Amino acid sequence: MKEGRNIQIIEWQDLDKKKFYGFGLVFSGLLRFTIYPTNLVKTRLQAQEGKTAYRGLFDAFKQIARTEGLRGFYKGFPISLLQVVAGQFYITTYELSKQTLFSNQSISMQHLLGGFLASSVSQTIMVPVDVISQHQQVSGAGHKMSAIDIKSKKPSAAPTGPSKKTGNVVGQAFRIGSHIFKTEGFRGLYRGYLLSLLTYGSNSALYWSFYYLYSELIEELLPQSKSSLREPFRIVLSGLFSSATAVILTNPFDVVRTRYQLQVKNQGECTSSWKTYKSLIAKEGYWGLSRGLTARITSSSFNSAVIILMYEYLKKVSVKPNHVPHETQISGDVDVNIAVAAN
């Protein structure tokens, strides 16, 4: 079975870009709002040593809800919304690279290489945002996980609780960014950049490769039916399986990346990523590399299933009017019809 024989693929040149980007930005923002709490919990679980703050995924949700309330689940959220913009660069790079840079490769390699390159572009934009957002995410935890004090420095006439003004969130981000820049320079904001490429680049490459692999397999195994639920079921199932597979394979990189990015240069010393890894193994053993795995699988699988379903149907509703199905040459002498009916 050749990839592309069982499923239809809408290509980049088939799309009305105004529709695609317009709907994409709205859906991505809503989705990020939905899955952000799980992402925050994942970061805290990975940042803690042992079980000093939380005993596990559900305990973390329970404690944060009790001690910090709903707002606690959205610390660092405003600045993380830049991920929505980075996501548009990601998907554009992914689709364009498949048709240009890697057009002479097999479809499997197009997905693998396109996914890695797309993630590289996205991470170049997002690493500084991640570094700052992670410090905000771990603030307020039962145990101190960040070396940066992000509390407001403005004097007040009388002691009061934490400011509830939205602007304070931006102020926190600015203080974190300023502190890192002053102590480590521009390189500090790109702490863990190579680790991020290794983590997310590999995750992206593996995800897209496994997604189309699972799609082909599930399409072949599913009984033929005219039910309108058959296609979305195949898409969601493929998204879940591919996401879980990629997350399990890349979680060790993500744990080290999170720990490394949460460090701050202090008195001229700053632990390297390799030392961070060795310290983690020495203190917690190899099981420490599985920290946050449940939360990451939960977040990523739900995220991926919704995103891929949205993405596939977003492409369908964004197909150019009067689109005519076309043939695409696939790796060597295999001709595969890649066709979609215009919506």
Side-chain angles (χ1 to χ4, degrees), residues 266-280:
N266 184 25
Q267 297 178 347
E269 295 182 0
C270 189
T271 304
S272 67
S273 57
W274 177 245
K275 287 182 179 179
T276 301
Y277 164 77
K278 290 198 296 184
S279 174
L280 173 65

Side-chain angles (χ1 to χ4, degrees), residues 54-322:
Y54 311 110
R55 294 191 300 272
L57 175 65
F58 296 108
D59 181 58
F61 271 105
K62 182 180 178 181
Q63 287 198 46
I64 293 171
R66 185 178 67 248
T67 60
E68 302 173 57
L70 181 63
R71 289 169 62 91
F73 288 107
Y74 286 92
K75 290 186 174 180
F77 177 72
I79 190 173
S80 79
L81 279 175
L82 290 173
Q83 179 71 58
V84 175
V85 178
Q88 304 307 305
F89 284 97
Y90 173 91
I91 204 62
T92 301
T93 303
Y94 171 69
E95 291 288 354
L96 283 178
S97 64
K98 286 194 305 173
Q99 294 184 23
T100 54
L101 297 176
F102 313 125
S103 60
N104 60 338
Q105 302 292 323
S106 66
I107 285 188
S108 297
M109 287 303 295
Q110 285 179 21
H111 296 315
L112 184 75
L113 297 175
F116 187 86
L117 182 60
S119 183
S120 298
V121 172
S122 176
Q123 286 307 303
T124 300
I125 300 170
M126 286 305 300
V127 165
V129 176
D130 280 343
V131 171
I132 294 172
S133 179
Q134 283 170 354
H135 282 284
Q136 290 183 304
Q137 286 179 341
V138 300
S139 69
H143 288 67
K144 193 172 181 63
M145 299 179 187
S146 170
I148 299 178
D149 181 9
I150 66 173
K151 293 180 181 178
S152 176
K153 304 299 182 184
K154 294 181 179 180
S156 55
T160 59
S163 171
K164 294 187 181 297
K165 293 181 180 179
T166 305
N168 190 47
V169 176
V170 179
Q172 289 177 353
F174 179 77
R175 283 191 292 278
I176 293 170
S178 297
H179 181 91
I180 294 173
F181 186 77
K182 288 177 181 177
T183 55
E184 301 181 60
F186 191 69
R187 291 179 60 183
L189 294 173
Y190 273 89
R191 173 183 291 280
Y193 177 66
L194 293 180
L195 274 175
S196 292
L197 287 184
L198 185 60
T199 302
Y200 294 119
S202 300
N203 190 88
S204 175
L206 291 170
Y207 173 79
W208 286 110
S209 298
F210 279 114
Y211 171 69
Y212 284 102
L213 176 65
Y214 286 133
S215 291
E216 292 285 346
L217 180 61
I218 293 172
E219 178 67 22
E220 191 172 275
L221 294 176
L222 283 177
Q224 293 301 317
S225 169
K226 293 183 178 180
S227 171
S228 60
L229 296 178
R230 188 180 185 279
E231 183 181 31
F233 178 75
R234 187 259 300 167
I235 292 172
V236 168
L237 207 58
S238 300
L240 288 172
F241 287 162
S242 58
S243 176
T245 303
V247 164
I248 290 171
L249 293 175
T250 61
N251 196 70
F253 301 131
D254 196 39
V255 175
V256 176
R257 178 194 65 85
T258 299
R259 295 279 183 95
Y260 181 59
Q261 288 184 332
L262 282 172
Q263 295 176 48
V264 179
K265 190 172 184 179
N266 184 25
Q267 297 178 347
E269 295 182 0
C270 189
T271 304
S272 67
S273 57
W274 177 245
K275 287 182 179 179
T276 301
Y277 164 77
K278 290 198 296 184
S279 174
L280 173 65
I281 298 301
K283 292 179 180 179
E284 304 178 50
Y286 287 103
W287 280 109
L289 296 174
S290 67
R291 290 223 167 269
L293 181 60
T294 304
R296 192 168 172 232
I297 288 179
T298 302
S299 172
S300 182
S301 296
F302 172 78
N303 187 16
S304 297
V306 176
I307 280 182
I308 199 63
L309 186 63
M310 176 194 75
Y311 179 64
E312 294 286 12
Y313 280 90
L314 178 60
K315 289 202 295 183
K316 282 193 174 186
V317 300
S318 301
V319 170
K320 293 176 182 177
N322 304 318

Side-chain angles (χ1 to χ4, degrees), residues 18-39:
K18 288 184 179 179
K19 284 185 179 180
F20 183 78
Y21 286 125
F23 288 131
L25 284 170
V26 174
F27 290 152
S28 296
L30 291 174
L31 180 62
R32 186 152 190 82
F33 178 82
T34 304
I35 60 96
Y36 190 81
T38 309
N39 181 266

